[in-house]
Amino acid sequence: MRRIANKQVINNVLLEASAKDKDIVVLCSDSRGSGSMTSFAEERPEQFIEVGIAEQNLVSMSAGLASCGKKPFAVSPASFLSTRSMEQAKVDVAYSHMNVKLIGISGGVSYGALGMTHHSANDIATMASIPNMRVYLPSDRFQTEKLMRALLQDHEPAYIRIGRSAVEDVYTEENVPFVMDKATVVHEGSDVTIIACGEMVKAAQEAAELLKGKGISVRVLDMYCVKPMDEAAVLRAARETKTIVTIEEHTKYGGLGAQVSQIVAANVPVRVVNMTLPDEPVITGGSKEVFAHYGLDAQGIVRKVMELV
Amino acid sequence: MDLRMKACDIRTDIVEIIHRAGTGHIGGDLSVTDILVDLYYKQMNVAPDKAADRERDRFVLSKGHSVEALYAVLADRGFFPKEDLLTYAQPGSKYIGHPNNKVNGIEMNTGSLGHGLSVGVGMALAGRMDKKKYRVYVVLGDGEMEEGSVWEAVTAGGHYKLDNLTAFVDRNRLQISGPTEEIMTQDKQEDRWAAFGWNVLSIPGNDIEAVDDAVELAKHIKNKPTVIIANTTKGCGVSFMENQVGWHHRVPTDQEYEQAIQELAQRRMQYAQDSE
Ligand SMILES: [Mg+2]
């Protein structure tokens, strides 16, 4: 089976669910193509709303729809959704407590050569800082599907960040362990724990295998639920392994690593090292090139862990 | 009761609430009162025991700082006990300085300007999708028209031809720092909205009959949303507050409070005589 992008999975799940649930509504900001929402728009025209290039209106309209019992999914590039319409997310969605799911597509550095205007290396920080807002970064297509099905069952606000292109699988069709708001143990180990989210989980998984060959036992946690974070899993890692490395497609401010560090420092102080994008406009290039440049790949993780143990 | 008398009662409540608490946006409360009274006592299908009814009309106070006027109306209509307002602006109270939907009868949290009309567009689209008959009312301030996001909503309202949506602009020509025309030109509101495909009605906004006629007219306009440019007086009903920029959020002294209450009582008496 050809791997599909996580955003395509979202389209497919919503298309399927919306056949029965007429309250599901998808809103786009001239982003149906980039969001892989074209087939939803074509097959469910009565449940699709085009807002045009107006992210503030996109989010507030979604809140208005939700207040009338609709289940809106606002699909827009993560860069714009998480900053330009941050206040709408804060006031109309989270503070007003509306059942709006914000889908940030082409997140992180997915837009590569388009530059910093289109990168969202700070979306965890902006969205997680809003009370009532949850933040999810699924790692592959299988987990994205599980997450979407779980989100369809609740009525709370959430922000979901996914990348632009198809990514390598972390899980397999037959084996997708998933418990909502609990980290998934991707690899068991006892020397070091790597806590990752989104596209970095695959790199962590590969690094764990490479490190095994070097005699280092690595635990990998897929912390797709960045908020609410699975604190128990973090604390278990702190108690059971000597060192924690976090890795994310985000700056060091207010992201996964910052949160893990806070939890660990307050409870079971062990060494935590955050692997992140730098606090500067990142170099342009495809995601893989950008990740390699900053050491945010399996090789980079291996180097970092070897330094630490 | 003559709605003009009701408006006097509501204005009296507003002055009391703000005087007692020592905080509030009194000028805009008094300019928007007649719009709220017409909507809540005559036009809107809303009731305290039907606050979650899917058929109810929807109201969003986008100029959320006029919340004291909304509190006065909701309490008087029985959405919550009037005594609750004794806690207004007190620590821990849910009756805060901007609308929030923990309060019975309030649909959406507002306060940051430029959000409410977009929310209203979403509500109106939901009504259309669900084939509901409810109408959506949104009240904006004229200073609020300076927010760019308002125009995203005006664009979408016109694009989707939302004839179940009525917006008001409380055109009192003042904002916190001075006259709107000095801060950022807001003239030709009528032409601006019309250019985006809205049906435009421009009325004396403190004339409750004119407000009512406009709301009634809007219900019968098809394929276009309606905006009612309500030309109002900031501080309306209290002589020394009218058209005074300083009364945007000044709190009356005890003496000013007495005078305001007296003026409103006199005005009410006149209306009572008129209607006899
Ligand atoms: Mg004004």
Side-chain angles (χ1 to χ4, degrees):
Chain A
M1 192 174 86
R2 199 173 69 86
R3 274 184 289 115
I4 55 173
N6 295 346
K7 57 189 186 175
Q8 187 66 48
V9 174
I10 293 178
N11 173 87
N12 297 354
V13 171
L14 291 177
L15 190 55
E16 181 201 306
S18 60
K20 277 195 194 134
D21 189 345
K22 292 296 163 193
D23 284 330
I24 292 172
V25 181
V26 170
L27 297 94
C28 283
S29 55
D30 196 19
S31 48
R32 72 181 83 176
S34 44
S36 297
M37 280 293 157
T38 308
S39 71
F40 187 98
E42 280 169 3
E43 292 184 45
R44 303 268 184 274
E46 71 290 351
Q47 286 167 269
F48 179 82
I49 298 171
E50 179 57 73
V51 179
I53 307 168
E55 292 80 14
Q56 299 175 78
N57 202 29
L58 173 86
V59 175
S60 299
M61 274 173 60
S62 299
L65 284 152
S67 81
C68 295
K70 293 292 175 189
K71 299 169 184 168
F73 290 77
V75 181
S76 184
S79 52
F80 315 133
L81 192 60
S82 65
T83 50
R84 189 182 210 118
S85 46
M86 183 188 175
E87 193 191 65
Q88 283 73 15
K90 169 192 156 195
V91 175
D92 306 324
V93 177
Y95 177 39
S96 295
H97 209 152
M98 292 296 153
N99 179 20
V100 175
K101 307 299 195 283
L102 301 169
I103 312 286
I105 55 168
S106 303
V109 298
S110 300
Y111 276 128
L114 296 187
M116 190 166 178
T117 56
H118 283 61
H119 295 167
S120 65
N122 59 339
D123 55 346
I124 298 176
T126 60
M127 286 293 150
S129 70
I130 298 173
N132 270 348
M133 183 64 75
R134 298 173 295 165
V135 176
Y136 296 102
L137 281 78
S139 58
D140 77 354
R141 58 187 168 138
F142 300 119
Q143 191 185 54
T144 300
E145 180 173 345
K146 293 270 187 183
L147 174 66
M148 285 303 291
R149 294 198 190 282
L151 289 170
L152 278 165
Q153 301 304 313
D154 71 50
H155 293 85
E156 307 294 318
Y159 170 77
I160 300 96
R161 185 236 271 192
I162 46 171
R164 186 185 196 186
S165 309
V167 290
E168 288 172 63
D169 294 335
V170 174
Y171 305 101
T172 60
E173 190 127 36
E174 304 74 39
N175 186 23
V176 195
F178 182 89
V179 179
M180 188 59 165
D181 294 332
K182 298 283 176 224
T184 305
V185 180
V186 172
H187 197 276
E188 258 308 353
S190 53
D191 295 329
V192 178
T193 298
I194 303 170
I195 304 180
C197 62
E199 293 186 23
M200 292 298 124
V201 175
K202 184 68 195 175
Q205 187 183 37
E206 286 172 2
E209 284 301 326
L210 293 170
L211 287 160
K212 198 174 175 181
K214 297 178 191 290
I216 301 168
S217 169
V218 176
R219 180 182 303 180
V220 175
L221 294 182
D222 180 346
M223 194 64 77
Y224 69 91
C225 46
V226 176
K227 183 185 172 188
M229 186 168 284
D230 183 354
E231 287 200 24
V234 173
L235 293 178
R236 269 196 305 276
R239 285 193 194 99
E240 295 167 9
T241 67
K242 296 173 203 78
T243 302
I244 293 176
V245 174
T246 67
I247 182 163
E248 65 199 297
E249 188 180 352
H250 191 272
T251 71
K252 65 179 176 180
Y253 297 104
L256 170 83
Q259 287 187 54
V260 168
S261 301
Q262 285 175 8
I263 294 167
V264 173
N267 296 286
V268 189
V270 296
R271 190 168 188 190
V272 179
V273 174
N274 301 150
M275 296 180 71
T276 67
L277 288 165
D279 181 29
E280 63 190 37
V282 304
I283 62 147
T284 52
S287 291
K288 288 229 157 109
E289 287 126 32
V290 174
F291 296 153
H293 181 84
Y294 295 110
L296 298 175
D297 58 5
Q299 296 305 328
I301 296 171
V302 168
R303 283 198 302 276
K304 179 63 73 182
V305 170
M306 295 301 288
E307 266 171 49
L308 294 170
V309 295
Chain B
M1 192 203 293
D2 185 334
L3 286 187
R4 294 178 306 173
M5 285 156 70
K6 179 56 78 181
C8 288
D9 294 344
I10 295 300
R11 286 192 163 91
T12 303
D13 289 347
I14 292 166
V15 173
E16 264 182 28
I17 292 166
I18 292 175
H19 176 252
R20 187 174 56 222
T23 182
H25 289 83
I26 201 160
D29 286 349
L30 296 175
S31 71
V32 82
T33 301
D34 303 290
I35 294 168
L36 296 187
V37 168
D38 181 60
L39 290 177
Y40 276 92
Y41 293 87
K42 185 154 182 207
Q43 286 289 354
M44 286 203 301
N45 169 33
V46 291
D49 55 335
K50 292 196 300 184
D53 185 347
R54 285 191 87 164
E55 306 293 335
R56 72 190 185 280
D57 287 335
R58 306 304 204 278
F59 178 79
V60 179
L61 185 63
S62 194
K63 49 169 284 191
H65 53 283
S66 293
V67 73
E68 298 86 11
L70 184 58
Y71 286 154
V73 164
L74 290 173
D76 188 63
R77 282 265 356 237
F79 281 86
F80 50 81
K82 249 180 192 172
E83 303 82 73
D84 278 17
L85 290 177
L86 293 170
T87 71
Y88 162 66
Q90 298 300 308
S93 173
K94 66 179 170 182
Y95 299 95
I96 57 175
H98 291 103
N100 76 92
N101 55 15
K102 286 190 184 130
V103 173
N104 192 35
I106 293 182
E107 302 279 354
M108 283 299 288
N109 302 7
T110 53
S112 176
L113 298 172
H115 293 224
L117 189 59
S118 292
V119 169
V121 166
M123 290 172 162
L125 279 167
R128 177 185 283 179
M129 288 173 152
D130 290 342
K131 301 190 172 56
K132 302 275 185 209
K133 294 226 164 52
Y134 67 75
R135 296 191 60 78
V136 180
Y137 296 94
V138 179
V139 175
L140 303 109
D142 55 356
E144 182 176 8
M145 298 310 299
E146 292 156 18
E147 289 282 6
S149 56
V150 171
W151 296 99
E152 295 186 0
V154 176
T155 306
H159 177 83
Y160 283 107
K161 305 184 196 312
L162 296 171
D163 52 19
N164 54 351
L165 172 65
T166 299
F168 290 86
V169 178
D170 183 5
R171 183 74 172 113
N172 56 31
R173 310 187 80 85
L174 289 176
Q175 58 191 105
I176 194 166
S177 307
T180 51
E181 301 319 282
E182 286 177 22
I183 304 300
M184 191 50 66
T185 309
Q186 292 302 316
D187 67 349
K188 302 198 184 90
Q189 280 295 318
E190 292 82 359
D191 296 350
R192 296 181 189 205
W193 289 77
F196 286 74
W198 287 60
N199 174 48
V200 181
L201 302 170
S202 192
I203 60 157
N206 293 122
D207 175 343
I208 246 176
E209 267 181 53
V211 172
D212 192 62
D213 288 348
V215 173
E216 198 56 44
L217 201 58
K219 288 198 234 172
H220 299 103
I221 300 291
K222 294 290 160 212
N223 294 319
K224 273 184 177 197
T226 291
V227 61
I228 299 171
I229 310 296
N231 296 285
T232 57
T233 300
K234 204 159 178 173
C236 180
V238 179
S239 61
F240 56 91
M241 296 184 191
E242 289 190 353
N243 288 317
Q244 297 301 310
V245 69
W247 282 100
H248 177 82
H249 62 177
R250 234 195 85 183
V251 176
T253 62
D254 292 348
Q255 200 184 345
E256 287 166 338
Y257 165 76
E258 291 299 338
Q259 192 188 334
I261 297 294
Q262 255 178 36
E263 283 187 23
L264 289 166
Q266 263 168 19
R267 189 189 261 236
R268 191 186 194 283
M269 217 144 66
Q270 241 169 32
Y271 291 145
Q273 281 166 6
D274 286 0
S275 58
E276 265 165 23

